[in-house]
Amino acid sequence: MLERDLVIDGMREELAVSRPIFLEVARSLREEHSSYRNKYCRSPGGVGIVNPLYLDHYAKLMYYFSRRLFLAGANPALLDQIFLSLKSRSGMDLYYEVEIPDFFYPMHCLGTVLGRAQYGRYFVVRQGCTVGNNHGKYPRFGEGVIMRAHSKVIGDCNIGDNVQIAAGTMVIDRDIPGNSIVFGASPNQVVKENRYDNVGLFFIK
């Protein structure tokens, strides 16, 4: 699947050189998935699973692969091929220059666009979400943030730790305190206490 998707004129040799990095990324992702609660990420015995036929797995695999190659100074033509494969197959727009830490969890990620924000660990994002800039300023996310389906975070925002952004919510140029659930669209929003441990909802500590 990898070669069929990515090989273009002049890329076969570079792809062969990058294969050890791809295998290392796949092993790391499998280890990470062993701590996920989702049955599609781990076997009943607790062993992590990486299945490229699951679009969420494929998106993560291609993102982490392209990110590692980017940091290693790989040919931009190869990086763009991987990005195109990620975007066309999974429906998620996540460029390799964007940094997302470990335990990134895209769920049913069709139509999601993740811009050049600052992201924390244990970031969970659903379908149709948007993270983008307003007047050149991007959001900053704490750890354990959940973006529910079709939510948006735009512009100069500080999103605290353990925040849930409810489905359909739009946050623009606004700070959301930690341990909150936010509903509605800026500037008319409701912020309530989040009594859940977001990380514990999706990951085994």
Side-chain angles (χ1 to χ4, degrees), residues 17 94 147 152 182 205:
V17 172
L94 177 53
M147 291 187 66
K152 298 173 176 61
V182 57
K205 293 184 174 181

Side-chain angles (χ1 to χ4, degrees), residues 94-203:
L94 177 53
Y95 200 48
Y96 48 80
E97 292 186 2
V98 176
E99 180 180 2
I100 299 185
D102 294 342
F103 301 100
F104 165 51
Y105 194 179
M107 299 180 67
H108 311 295
C109 54
L110 291 167
T112 285
V113 179
L114 299 178
R116 299 169 187 260
Q118 295 179 21
Y119 299 91
R121 299 200 327 160
Y122 300 104
F123 179 59
V124 178
V125 64
R126 303 297 293 259
Q127 68 270 24
C129 292
T130 300
V131 175
N133 81 89
N134 188 27
H135 301 293
K137 294 185 177 180
Y138 283 88
R140 295 161 296 280
F141 293 87
E143 293 199 348
V145 174
I146 301 173
M147 291 187 66
R148 301 290 184 181
H150 302 287
S151 60
K152 298 173 176 61
V153 181
I154 307 294
D156 189 10
C157 305
N158 284 300
I159 309 299
D161 295 340
N162 202 51
V163 168
Q164 292 198 38
I165 302 168
T169 293
M170 180 181 292
V171 181
I172 303 177
D173 294 331
R174 179 176 181 182
D175 294 346
I176 304 298
N179 301 304
S180 299
I181 302 176
V182 57
F183 305 84
S186 295
N188 302 311
Q189 288 177 321
V190 176
V191 179
K192 296 184 177 181
E193 179 186 1
N194 180 16
R195 299 181 180 180
Y196 298 95
D197 172 12
N198 289 352
V199 175
L201 290 175
F202 293 96
F203 304 92

Side-chain angles (χ1 to χ4, degrees), residues 66-82:
S66 62
R67 179 70 185 166
R68 283 285 307 278
L69 290 175
F70 168 70
L71 294 175
N75 186 333
L78 176 59
L79 297 175
D80 288 342
Q81 280 294 108
I82 300 172

Side-chain angles (χ1 to χ4, degrees), residues 38-101:
N38 191 302
K39 65 180 180 180
Y40 296 110
C41 291
R42 58 199 298 268
S43 70
V47 177
I49 298 170
V50 177
N51 185 347
L53 297 179
Y54 296 160
L55 293 185
D56 299 346
H57 292 202
Y58 189 80
K60 291 180 66 176
L61 192 59
M62 292 296 100
Y63 165 70
Y64 284 132
F65 180 40
S66 62
R67 179 70 185 166
R68 283 285 307 278
L69 290 175
F70 168 70
L71 294 175
N75 186 333
L78 176 59
L79 297 175
D80 288 342
Q81 280 294 108
I82 300 172
F83 171 65
L84 175 62
S85 179
L86 184 164
K87 187 175 179 180
S88 61
R89 279 187 172 271
S90 72
M92 182 171 69
D93 190 324
L94 177 53
Y95 200 48
Y96 48 80
E97 292 186 2
V98 176
E99 180 180 2
I100 299 185

Side-chain angles (χ1 to χ4, degrees), residues 2-15 75-82 84:
L2 182 65
E3 291 187 355
R4 184 186 64 202
D5 288 350
L6 303 182
V7 170
I8 58 175
D9 291 344
M11 289 292 102
R12 189 178 299 276
E13 182 176 346
E14 291 199 37
L15 187 61
N75 186 333
L78 176 59
L79 297 175
D80 288 342
Q81 280 294 108
I82 300 172
L84 175 62

